[in-house]
Amino acid sequence: MLKKVVLTACLAIALAVMPPAYAGLVEPLPALPPIPGDNSMTADKVELGKMLFFDPRLSGSNWISCATCHNPVMGFTDRLPRAFGHAMSQGPRNTPTILNAAYINVQFWDGRARTLEEQALGPIQAEVEMKQTLGGAVENIKKVPEYVAMFGRVFGGDDPVNPSNIAKAIAAYERTLITPNSPYDRYLAGDKSALTPAQQKGFDLFQSKGCIACHNGPALTDSGFHRIKVPGSVDLGRFNVTKDESDKYMFRTPTLRNVELTAPYFNNGSVNTLEEAVDVMGKEALNTKLGPEEVGALVVFLKGLTGEMPKIDYPQLPYTKY
Amino acid sequence: MLKKVVLTACLAIALAVMPPAYAGLVEPLPALPPIPGDNSMTADKVELGKMLFFDPRLSGSNWISCATCHNPVMGFTDRLPRAFGHAMSQGPRNTPTILNAAYINVQFWDGRARTLEEQALGPIQAEVEMKQTLGGAVENIKKVPEYVAMFGRVFGGDDPVNPSNIAKAIAAYERTLITPNSPYDRYLAGDKSALTPAQQKGFDLFQSKGCIACHNGPALTDSGFHRIKVPGSVDLGRFNVTKDESDKYMFRTPTLRNVELTAPYFNNGSVNTLEEAVDVMGKEALNTKLGPEEVGALVVFLKGLTGEMPKIDYPQLPYTKY
C-alpha cells in the first residue's frame, strides 16, 4: 500500500513535467490490478488458483494445463505462431501472454470475455485447447480430497467445487501475475536514467507518431478494438463475436508490456521480430512508412517495458483418490 | 559438506544399533549424488541444464520439453498410466520420476542407458516423446545467441553446442533434483521420532518380508532387473534391449522415494493406489499374500520416504533470433 502511495506521488510529479497532450495516457503499472468486489483475493484463494493453473486434470487428456500454453518460462506464452492444444491440434490464433492481463478490460484477441473470470473457463472447453467439459473438470477435482477441502475453506457453501469458483480461483491467481518495476515504470516514477537516451528518444517517437493513441494506460492497451490486417491474416476477429460488419478484422489492442519476451507477434503469430512488427504497425495503424532509425528507436523503447517476472513457488499437486 | 559429515556420523551410530543383516542395505540419501569425472557440476552448467530442461525447442514441435512429462508440480512425472508425447501419441510405459535418478546406476525401465548423460538424449529423439533429431535440436539452440554464449562459457571448444554437451548440461541439472530430509532419512540419522510407531512397524516389515532385498541403498533400488509381471502387462522389458530370453519381463527396480507422489504405478501404470501396488508386489516379488494390516503398515512407511522437493527458480528462456 505504501509502495502504491509512493508510486502515485512520484507519478503526479512525473506527469507535471510531461507534455500535457499525452499526460492522461501514460501510467506506470499500479501496484495492484483492479479486483472485483465479488472475487476478493485471499492467500488461500490465490494458492488454490495457482494449483488449478498448473493442473492438467482440468483438461480432457489430463495432460494439458493452463501453464502448457501460458508457460512461465516463456513470458507466460508458448512462443508458437498459433497455439497447439489437445492432441497437438493447432488453434487459429497466437497465445496472448497473461502477464498483466489483470489490467486489461477485455480478454481474448476478439474480446469475447470481459473479465479474467469469464475468460478462465474458455480454454478448458475449447476443442483445440484443453477439450474438457466443465462437468468433467469438476468431477476430476472432486476426486482430490485436498481440493475439495480447499474449495470449502476458500468459498464455503454446499457445493463449492463448481465452474464459477474454479474461474474465480484461477482469476485471483492471474491477478498476481504482474510485472512491475520495468525501466519504463521507473522512468515514469521520476528516475530519468531508467530509460537510456536511445529509449527516451523511442518514447518520444512512441508519443509523437501516435502509437500511444491505442497503446496507453497501465498495460499500454486501450482495451479497445482496431482494424489491423497483418501478414497472412484471414481472421475476421471481433466480427466472429458480434456479427457486425464493422467489426471485420478488428482485434483487441495487445499489451506491450514484456513484448520482447512474447514473439512471434500479432493474432496469427506471423511476425518473428519486433523490428518487423513495428514496421507493420507503422503501415497498418499509422499509415506511415517508418524509417529504419525510427523503427530501431521504437524497438529499444519497447524493450524498456520488460518488468520483473513474478516468482513462482511451484505447487506440489495433490493426487487423485481412487 | 558439514551437513554430509554430520549425516555420515549419525548414520554410523544408527547402523550400530540396527539388525546387522540389513545394515548394509539401509542408507540415507547422501548430500550429493555421484558426479562423473568428465561432467563436473558448475553453477553455470546447472543453470544451462535447467533452461534446456524447460525448453520446448528441444522437441520437433517446439511445444514439448523434458518438463512436460517430468512435470515439477507432480513429483517430476505426469501422473498418467503411460506417457503422452508428440501429437499426444501414447508411449508404451509409465513416466518414471527423475527425482533422485542421480542415485540410480541404470536408467529407463529397461535399463537401456547407464547414466543420466546417456539417458538425456533418448526422449528428445523418441517418436512418441519429443520427436526431434539431435541435429534439429542443435540447430534450434544455435539460433539463440544467449545459448551459444552459455555453451561457450560452460564447455569451451570450437563447437560447444553439440549433443554430448546438451546431455551433460541436462544431466548436471538433474543431479540437483534430489529430495533429502524425508522422515526416513531423519530416522536413519538418529531421530527415532521421525517415523511414527506405525511407520516403524512398516519399516520392520519392509525388512523382514524382504522388500529390502531389491529396494535398498540410498534410492531404495538395487539398480538391478527383476521379473515382475504386473496387471495387464505384455511388455517384454529388458529383453527388448538384450534379446536374451532370460531377460523377458525383467524391469529395473524403481526408486521408492516420493512414491506417494508418483501414482499410477508399475511399468504400465496399471495400478492407481499404493495399497494395491504393495499387494501386487507381495504376490509377484515375495510370493506372499500380505494381510491388510501388513499392507497398511507398509504403505504408511512408504509415505515416510517423501523428502523435501527441490525449489525451482524457473528460468526465463531467451528467444530465438531470426
Side-chain angles (χ1 to χ4, degrees), chain B residues 74-283:
Chain B
M74 297 183 289
F76 287 85
T77 178
D78 55 12
R79 298 240 178 101
L80 296 168
R82 295 185 287 127
F84 284 133
H86 187 85
M88 229 168 94
S89 48
Q90 195 171 32
R93 294 183 184 141
N94 180 260
T95 303
T97 181
I98 54 174
L99 288 171
N100 308 305
Y103 297 93
I104 309 178
N105 297 325
V106 59
Q107 305 297 333
F108 292 117
W109 279 104
D110 57 16
R112 64 188 184 276
R114 305 301 300 184
T115 65
L116 293 179
E117 283 80 359
E118 276 178 58
Q119 188 278 334
L121 302 179
I124 293 174
Q125 300 172 83
E127 286 279 315
V128 294
E129 298 184 50
M130 294 164 79
K131 201 179 180 179
Q132 176 60 291
T133 61
L134 293 181
V138 165
E139 195 182 318
N140 275 357
I141 292 172
K142 283 188 174 175
K143 283 184 197 153
V144 182
E146 291 87 340
Y147 271 141
V148 174
M150 283 185 87
F151 272 86
R153 262 201 320 276
V154 169
F155 294 106
D158 282 344
D159 191 23
V161 183
N162 60 53
S164 165
N165 286 343
I166 292 172
K168 282 182 173 176
I170 294 173
Y173 174 59
E174 287 186 271
R175 292 194 175 93
T176 69
L177 300 176
I178 66 180
T179 62
N181 216 27
S182 69
Y184 173 74
D185 293 298
R186 297 200 307 273
Y187 178 84
L188 293 184
D191 177 0
K192 292 301 164 197
S193 68
L195 293 180
T196 65
Q199 287 179 313
Q200 291 180 36
K201 193 181 148 204
F203 186 26
D204 290 343
L205 278 172
F206 187 80
Q207 296 170 80
S208 62
K209 289 284 177 184
C211 314
I212 200 168
C214 300
H215 291 289
N216 56 49
L220 292 101
T221 163
D222 59 0
S223 294
F225 299 91
H226 302 278
R227 185 166 292 106
I228 305 291
K229 274 213 86 171
V230 295
S233 178
V234 291
D235 191 331
L236 296 176
R238 179 92 180 132
F239 171 82
N240 292 334
V241 180
T242 63
K243 306 298 173 197
D244 182 335
E245 283 292 321
S246 68
D247 282 335
K248 275 191 176 166
Y249 307 111
M250 300 277 266
F251 289 92
R252 181 195 65 167
T253 312
T255 180
L256 294 181
R257 287 191 177 271
N258 311 296
V259 69
E260 71 167 327
L261 301 177
T262 61
Y265 301 109
F266 298 130
N267 66 75
N268 60 352
S270 56
V271 165
N272 283 320
T273 67
L274 273 179
E275 285 76 8
E276 192 183 345
V278 167
D279 180 68
V280 168
M281 288 306 291
K283 286 184 223 151

Side-chain angles (χ1 to χ4, degrees), chain A residues 54 56-57 61-64 68-69 72-76 78-80 84-88 260-261 272-273 303 309-319 322, chain B residues 54 56-57 61-64 68-69 71-76 78-80 84-88 260-261 272-273 303 309 311-319 322:
Chain A
F54 281 99
R57 286 170 292 194
S61 61
N62 292 318
W63 190 52
I64 296 175
T68 300
C69 296
V73 303
M74 297 183 288
F76 287 84
D78 54 13
R79 297 238 180 104
L80 296 169
F84 284 132
H86 187 84
M88 228 167 95
E260 70 167 327
L261 301 177
N272 283 320
T273 68
K303 291 183 178 178
M309 291 297 116
K311 293 280 170 203
I312 296 176
D313 194 7
Y314 268 100
Q316 200 54 232
L317 299 182
Y319 40 89
Y322 291 93
Chain B
F54 281 97
R57 285 170 292 195
S61 62
N62 292 318
W63 190 52
I64 296 175
T68 300
C69 296
N71 193 330
V73 303
M74 297 183 289
F76 287 85
D78 55 12
R79 298 240 178 101
L80 296 168
F84 284 133
H86 187 85
M88 229 168 94
E260 71 167 327
L261 301 177
N272 283 320
T273 67
K303 291 182 179 179
M309 291 297 117
K311 291 280 170 203
I312 297 176
D313 192 10
Y314 73 89
Q316 200 54 233
L317 300 181
Y319 40 89
Y322 292 92

